[in-house]
Amino acid sequence: MTGQNQTIISQFLLLGLPIPPEHQLLFYVLFLTMYLTTMLGNFLIIVLIHLDSRLHMPMYSLLSNLSFSDLCFSSVTMPKLLQNMQSQVPSISYAGCLMQMYFFLFFADLESFLLVAMAYDRYVAICFPLHYTSIMSPKRCVCLVVISWLLTTFHAMLHTLLMARLSFCADNVIPHFFCDMSALLKLSCSDTHINKLVIFVMGGIILVIPFVLIIVSYAQIVSSILKVPSAHGIHKAFSTCGSHLSVVSLFYGTVIGLYLCPSATNSTMKETVMSMMYTVVTPMLNPFIYSLRNRDMKAALARVFCKKKIIFYYGNNQD
């Protein structure tokens, strides 16, 4: 039966979240609100950075890319989850499952690399302020983004092709709300040792190394600020770095715990909740943590709304 997985399994059933029927509507409204908040927050940041010429700098270019990544990352799983919560048969086709897995890996990896680039940008800005414009030139910023996209394309394609070679013979029920790679491997009736080895090796490169680089960057930032004692500066540094690291730890901690340090005692419920943390919560928090708390972003938002009010005012007076 090996090599005939497409003919044996034509679709998978997604069990979704273990929510009691009487609470289904409440959670549907909650997840819909979280998804709309994610979409609105990230879309607003992209528009603001595009419209305001004062934000056309490497730092905000990276923020714009992160917002786009968060917007797409959340859209890979949330619409299907919301649809399945209203469906009697929450199914997904075999091809659709592989496609969802590919884009899920792609945007998760892209977020990982962009977080590293943003941490490096802040490290250069604070530790080497006089050389910031020469080090973080627009050309280097574009290179960082392009490299991130290329590496994520390779990594996501590698796992997708390795998954496509596997056979799924009987059980087609995925105890998850999306086509999670580890859940699919448990259903396969083929030898999955190569897949698991690649997950472990590539996961160390894609997840652990970026996480360590981010921690080192922020440690250097805090160290640099503490060398010039200032109550306001120290408070601002710990407030900013603390909020950034909390979101970074939430994202990397759950991903590393799920894929690189799986525990035999992990229940399906625990894995699902951990997945919700980095697929739903993190993309929703990123706009507030990285952008909307930023003074320049607030000023840009005020300028855009002020301009709209002026246009609206003059337009009404002319009428």
Side-chain angles (χ1 to χ4, degrees):
M1 289 189 292
T2 303
Q4 299 178 6
N5 51 322
Q6 291 93 333
T7 59
I8 297 170
I9 294 292
S10 61
Q11 65 177 11
F12 293 97
L13 297 179
L14 295 168
L15 288 187
L17 303 171
I19 301 172
E22 61 270 19
H23 298 148
Q24 196 82 358
L25 179 60
L26 175 64
F27 277 90
Y28 180 85
V29 173
L30 174 64
F31 292 138
L32 178 61
T33 303
M34 293 174 72
Y35 178 59
L36 292 177
T37 302
T38 302
M39 296 293 287
L40 180 62
N42 286 292
F43 182 73
L44 178 61
I45 289 166
I46 295 171
V47 171
L48 280 177
I49 293 174
H50 176 73
L51 291 178
D52 197 322
S53 58
R54 301 182 194 184
L55 299 180
H56 293 174
M57 299 186 296
M59 171 185 172
Y60 297 106
S61 175
L62 293 172
L63 277 174
S64 178
N65 277 274
L66 180 69
S67 293
F68 175 76
S69 176
D70 281 332
L71 192 149
C72 295
F73 186 40
S74 184
S75 297
V76 171
T77 57
M78 287 302 290
K80 189 62 179 176
L81 169 63
L82 294 169
Q83 178 190 345
N84 287 345
M85 290 180 74
Q86 298 294 308
S87 173
Q88 298 297 321
V89 185
S91 63
I92 185 170
S93 67
Y94 173 82
C97 193
L98 288 183
M99 188 178 296
Q100 186 185 56
M101 192 191 83
Y102 170 81
F103 284 109
F104 178 84
L105 289 170
F106 180 89
F107 289 110
D109 293 345
L110 183 60
E111 177 145 342
S112 177
F113 284 116
L114 289 174
L115 288 173
V116 175
M118 289 169 62
Y120 175 70
D121 174 81
R122 291 300 82 206
Y123 163 71
V124 174
I126 294 174
C127 298
F128 304 98
L130 299 179
H131 302 284
Y132 176 75
T133 53
S134 60
I135 296 175
M136 283 301 296
S137 62
K139 183 178 179 180
R140 176 163 295 184
C141 182
V142 171
C143 286
L144 289 173
V145 173
V146 170
I147 290 171
S148 298
W149 279 77
L150 291 176
L151 290 176
T152 53
T153 300
F154 166 75
H155 184 243
M157 184 61 71
L158 174 63
H159 284 296
T160 305
L161 292 176
L162 286 174
M163 187 66 68
R165 57 180 275 277
L166 301 180
S167 296
F168 299 89
C169 307
D171 192 3
N172 70 333
V173 178
I174 301 176
H176 220 303
F177 64 92
F178 69 97
C179 290
D180 181 61
M181 190 162 48
S182 59
L184 284 171
L185 290 178
K186 293 176 183 177
L187 296 181
S188 175
C189 54
S190 302
D191 184 3
T192 59
H193 283 93
I194 294 178
N195 297 68
K196 292 177 180 177
L197 178 62
V198 173
I199 288 174
F200 185 78
V201 174
M202 295 301 295
I205 298 172
I206 299 294
L207 295 174
V208 177
I209 294 177
F211 180 60
V212 171
L213 290 175
I214 291 172
I215 297 298
V216 170
S217 296
Y218 280 110
Q220 291 292 327
I221 289 171
V222 172
S223 175
S224 178
I225 292 174
L226 290 177
K227 290 177 182 177
V228 185
S230 166
H232 176 70
I234 292 173
H235 173 75
K236 184 179 179 181
F238 279 103
S239 173
T240 303
C241 293
S243 58
H244 286 194
L245 287 175
S246 63
V247 176
V248 167
S249 299
L250 180 65
F251 176 77
Y252 283 101
T254 51
V255 175
I256 292 172
L258 274 174
Y259 296 106
L260 298 187
C261 307
S263 172
T265 59
N266 277 1
S267 63
T268 302
M269 176 66 174
K270 184 178 178 181
E271 291 181 353
T272 304
V273 171
M274 290 174 71
S275 298
M276 290 293 293
M277 288 296 103
Y278 73 89
T279 59
V280 180
V281 178
T282 303
M284 182 182 68
L285 291 179
N286 277 343
F288 300 98
I289 298 299
Y290 282 99
S291 303
L292 298 180
R293 293 173 72 245
N294 181 286
R295 184 175 58 187
D296 293 336
M297 291 297 295
K298 289 179 180 178
L301 185 62
R303 284 193 294 270
V304 169
F305 275 102
C306 181
K307 188 182 296 184
K308 294 293 182 185
K309 286 182 180 179
I310 293 173
I311 293 173
F312 179 75
Y313 174 77
Y314 280 108
N316 285 345
N317 282 350
Q318 289 176 356
D319 292 340

